[in-house]
């Protein structure tokens, strides 16, 4: 277990300053400022279509804000999002034609963490499904594969979009365990979810988005 | 000047005056030029009356290339400084640019029938203008298939810039390959000049086309600015965000 | 990282039920249909053969262009690359390499066979093969660029043909000129050096531009 | 229900930012590249012109084939059609109609323009146009069939070329023969009747077979 | 509201007899027999990858059983699945390039229920999103669109694969309401879900799939 969740050696920060985001002619978020530091967990909640996914994309550096800034820090120095962010989108991004272990193995190659692959597959409960193509994985198994990718990325900031959708009960517990371990070792997690929020670290916070009156 | 106009509001103020001026100049020079070209100037010795096609054809070909240069400059500005006005400008240069290219192709082939006895020859010059037309169409197609404005602007700008590097290559390769078309006589230093009774109407038509290009581009930019402001003003209010601790 | 991507892409291609072979099939069909349409007489076709082979290669390549980034784009892999801190320029280089291996190499190997069909002279076959091989980097680089621009667009298939045509025409012209030049001066023909030059320009301009286009999609 | 599908497909085509025009661009590019590759002299090209136009139309159509069912398949719409109690034969008929409207009609309209570029004689232009128009049903029917067989397969694009070629070769041969026949006997030429016959056979065989192929995918 | 949920005029039945399903070399379901009649609601539950989606596809006539049969009845007569089944798959099947109202309108055309479109959009809470393309809908909005398609199909048997995934609280309530109305008017619903089961009709039943020991 230790090797999957080594203690973070760097301090990281994720900060937004008067962030504004919109899609088409719909303004979604305005003047949002917050700051997360090592060990923080942020639950993002709000109704369907309020802008959670859009926010998470901006936090991952995949969407340029209309106004304001998102900044990523490592040991007090500003860095590129891609250095410290891992993002689990709502949809699976597994290659349909690859075996489960090949798909994970590819990303392990990119992240230089080949040695973690089989342990990570074990941890998320896919040990029996390494030899089938990801096309054949069930909905929940696909989400588990995405969790394994978060783990092997070894990145300090996890951005997770509805990780518990389509997950069974043990799956939901698995996610909780992952997040609290990650916070303990000094990581940051931002989660968008319709699940009830749970206090998974000493610094769990909740970001609630409500429609303007 | 360019810095001054880079603000959309100031630009709208400027174009409120400039657009009608360009419109008026277009009409004036066009009427005068057409009179000179179609009525006043003499038929040429080898081309006969068909020479009058030149007054439509040559300015169109020149303006097509001028428009592409303008398009490239606007694209560079748009790509590096992400200036929305440059996006509007680039897009607005491309439409008349494509139209001029098309006109040069059409008038050229209409001229080709009496001059060479065929509508088309696969010679270097014509082929390279055809390719220029393809580049314009691809450029506009990118705008039309990508709905997100900023994204479309960046991608189209990339294509326009790479396309510009490509233009000398095209010209060079097709010149080498096969040539039948008239060599440039005005643009080449030391080439035999044209007699003034042909040169004058030609110059007048070139002016008319250039003003037309300016007028069309200004109108395009105006419309584009107004459209994007309208979209911005209509934005629905954003969500209220609150952060709670446990 | 480049090698990881190349290996995965090649594996995906092999895994796709022989899809990498279809380019060769298309090539064969193109040659066959042209031969039928042009009436089938060898005397008519022999002089046209290098041109037909070149056209078959170019069209076959063009048709594979869209696929270079399409899947990565629609299944979210591109966003993950961006986040993974891997540079897009090396991603594009990797894609150009795997495209050359998977989509162009089989065509190059098929080209001499087509030469048999047209009863071409051996030295013309050599020249044709060489001119195609030297143009491969240009084909791949412009393919990566146009695919990066259009990744994931509906109807992109045709549009990509339109976008790449202006770039490939000089390659086509000099590729064919090189074949003609070979007859008189062999590989010393200046046209071969021009083809190499076009390939280098394509790589130098195309790959960074492709990386910029990918970035533009993801912001 | 046929009209609902046709209307939606046409709308999707128009919505796709002019994607229906790209077939025409491909056509233009094909003509231009062939002309450049063949050296650009009108004397060489004039006799080849009908064949080149036919090839351009066939390839352009082939490249649209895959798209006929691809999206419906991958986004789950095909499963919904099956559940909706709509017959697959009428679905296929609708697809053939919308394909003819969106993908072939623009090509037919572009063909006479291409004729200008090759400086073709007016009667050859008429004959070329007529032979293409009469073959449209055959193109559409075989397109629907092959797309139904290959729906949702990676790299299907090339395979579809391979699958449809055997069916389209007779159409191509008689289409070109009809153009030759027109010179001597006008529209009375027997080859025109053969082309019509091929079209009818294609519809009668292709559409039910396509429906069966779709059913086979979904069980 | 009445017009959206007219009373069913036909009696329907969905029946399986010693059904066996497998995927690849994995046998998922064996000897499953049950019978649902008008007014029944069946919740299918079980861990990720146990075979819920596979079962639902078989019930919709989209997957041929290895052994046993699935039969569909209307007024006591066997009919084709497509006559009486509506299926909401796990993934959205909206056309990305169509506007929300166009995408729904197309299916309304197929089902001859054009007159229900705007009411259905209203009912599922998409009234403000009819003019954007379905590509731009959020995850939950996409699920809502799929629900609207169930409604306008006017079919008596609804097969729903994780309808509540990615739905907010009002969305989950909406689903409950839809299902109970549908059962009241004499429809049948089969739902696969990791949510807690709720008694939504007098004849709510639960099918629990458990891994073999
Ligand atoms: C579709 C066919 C044609 C195209 C695309 C075409 C294109 C062009 C272009 C691009 C130029 C500007 C060249 C420059 O200044 O560098 C030009 C100039 C000119 N063209 Fe054409 N042309 C076509 C047909 C013809 C024909 C048939 C004639 C007459 C026989 C003709 C006569 C001229 C003349 C006299 C000039 C002015 C050259 C000069 O003094 O710079 N063109 N054409
Ligand atoms: N082009 C557009 N024009 C208008 N509105 C748009 C456009 N594109 C997206 N939207 C809206 O922007 C919002 C995007 O929401 P986002 O996906 O971030 O929601 P979310 O909070 O993640 O919702 P969910 O819980 O359903 O996943 C949606 O309401 C969507 O309808
Ligand atoms: N070719 C195959 N070989 C072996 N196992 C396979 C194959 N294809 C699918 N499977 C397995 O069959 C099962 C299919 O499950 P299904 O999608 O029906 O599950 P589910 O109950 O819907 O799960 P979830 O709750 O995650 O959606 C999965 O466990 C999957 O791994
Ligand atoms: Mg979301
Ligand atoms: Mg499932």
């Amino acid at each position: 277990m230790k090797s999957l969740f080594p203690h973070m050696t760097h301090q990281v920060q994720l900060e937004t300053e008067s962030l504004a985001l919109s899609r088409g002619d719909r303004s979604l978020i305005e003047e949002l400022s917050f700051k997360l530091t090592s060990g923080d967990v942020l639950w993002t909640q709000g109704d369907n279509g309020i802008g959670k996914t859009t926010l998470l994309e901006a936090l991952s550096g995949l969407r340029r804000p209309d106004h304001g800034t998102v900044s990523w820090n490592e040991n007090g120095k500003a860095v590129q999002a891609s250095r410290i962010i891992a993002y689990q989108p709502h949809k699976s991004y597994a290659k349909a034609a690859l075996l489960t272990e090949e798909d994970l193995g590819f990303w392990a190659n990119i992240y230089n963490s080949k040695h973690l692959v089989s342990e990570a597959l074990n941890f998320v409960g896919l040990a029996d499904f390494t030899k089938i193509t990801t096309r054949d994985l069930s909905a929940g198994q696909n989400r588990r594969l995405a969790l394994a990718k978060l783990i092997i990325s070894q990145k300090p900031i996890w951005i997770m979009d509805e990780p518990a959708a389509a997950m069974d009960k043990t799956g939901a517990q698995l996610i909780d365990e992952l997040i609290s371990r990650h916070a303990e070792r000094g990581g940051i997690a931002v989660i968008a979810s319709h699940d009830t929020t749970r206090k998974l670290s000493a610094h769990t916070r909740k970001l609630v988005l409500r429609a303007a009156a | 000047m360019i810095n001054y106009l880079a603000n959309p509001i100031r630009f709208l103020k400027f174009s409120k005056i400039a657009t009608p001026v360009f419109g008026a100049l277009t009409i004036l020079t066009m009427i005068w030029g057409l009179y000179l070209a179609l009525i006043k100037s003499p038929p040429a010795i080898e081309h006969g009356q068909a020479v009058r096609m030149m007054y439509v054809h040559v300015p169109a070909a020149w303006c097509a290339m001028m428009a592409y240069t303008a398009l490239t400059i606007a694209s560079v500005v748009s790509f590096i400084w992400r200036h929305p006005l440059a996006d509007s400008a680039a897009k607005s240069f491309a439409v008349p640019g494509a139209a001029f290219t098309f006109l040069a192709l059409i008038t050229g082939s209409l001229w080709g029938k009496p001059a060479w006895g065929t509508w088309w020859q696969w010679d270097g010059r014509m082929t390279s203008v055809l390719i220029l037309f393809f580049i314009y169409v691809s450029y506009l197609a990118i705008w039309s298939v990508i709905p997100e404005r900023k994204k479309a602007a960046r991608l189209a700008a990339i294509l326009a810039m790479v396309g510009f590097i490509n233009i000398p290559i095209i010209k060079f390769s097709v010149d080498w390959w096969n040539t039948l078309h008239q060599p440039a006589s005005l643009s080449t230093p030391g080439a035999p000049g044209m007699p003034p009774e042909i040169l004058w109407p030609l110059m007048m038509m070139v002016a008319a086309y250039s003003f037309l290009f300016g007028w069309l581009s200004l109108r395009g930019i105006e419309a584009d600015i107004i459209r994007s402001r309208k979209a911005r003003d209509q934005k629905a209010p954003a969500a209220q965000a609150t952060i709670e601790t446990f | 990282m480049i090698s990881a991507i190349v290996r995965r892409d090649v594996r995906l291609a092999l895994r796709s039920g022989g899809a990498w072979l279809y380019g060769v099939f298309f090539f064969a069909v193109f040659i066959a249909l042209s031969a039928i349409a042009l009436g089938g007489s060898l005397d008519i076709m022999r002089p046209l053969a290098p041109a037909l082979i070149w056209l078959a290669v170019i069209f076959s390549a063009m048709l594979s262009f869209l696929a270079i980034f399409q899947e990565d784009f629609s299944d979210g892999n591109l966003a993950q690359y961006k986040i993974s801190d891997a540079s897009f320029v090396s991603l594009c280089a990797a894609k150009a390499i795997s495209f050359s291996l998977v989509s162009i190499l089989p065509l190059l190997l098929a080209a001499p066979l087509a030469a048999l069909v047209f009863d071409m002279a051996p030295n013309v076959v050599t020249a044709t093969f060489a001119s195609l091989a030297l143009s491969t980097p240009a084909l791949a680089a412009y393919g990566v660029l146009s695919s990066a621009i259009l990744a994931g667009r509906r109807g992109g298939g045709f549009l990509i043909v339109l976008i790449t045509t202006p770039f490939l025409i000089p390659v086509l012209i000099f590729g064919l000129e090189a074949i003609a030049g070979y007859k008189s001066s062999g590989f010393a023909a200046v046209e071969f050096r021009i083809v190499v030059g076009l390939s280098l320009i394509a790589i130098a301009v195309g790959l960074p531009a492709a990386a910029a286009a990918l970035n533009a999609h993801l912001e």
Side-chain angles (χ1 to χ4, degrees), chain C residues 124-173:
Chain C
V124 181
V125 177
T126 314
T128 307
F129 185 83
S131 75
L132 284 171
L134 293 176
S135 315
T136 301
L139 286 180
Y142 287 129
V144 168
L145 171 60
S146 52
S147 184
I149 289 179
L150 288 178
R153 291 296 141 181
R154 234 184 91 85
F158 281 127
L159 200 47
I160 219 158
V161 170
L162 186 69
I163 288 191
T164 43
T165 303
F167 300 107
L168 295 186
I169 283 180
V171 182
L172 170 67
I173 290 177

Side-chain angles (χ1 to χ4, degrees), chain C residues 9 12-13 16 19 21-23 25-26 29-30 32-34 36-38 44 48 51-52 54-55 58-64 67 71 154-156 158-159 161-162 165 168-169 172-173 176:
Chain C
D9 283 355
L12 277 171
S16 62
L21 262 179
Y22 303 153
F25 291 143
F26 176 85
V29 167
F30 186 96
L33 283 187
S34 324
I36 292 175
L38 299 179
I44 295 183
L48 302 181
L52 289 177
W54 253 93
L55 280 179
I58 283 204
F59 279 117
S60 183
M62 275 182 168
L63 301 181
S64 321
E71 210 183 81
R154 234 184 91 85
F158 281 127
L159 200 47
V161 170
L162 186 69
T165 303
L168 295 186
I169 283 180
L172 170 67
I173 290 177
L176 288 172

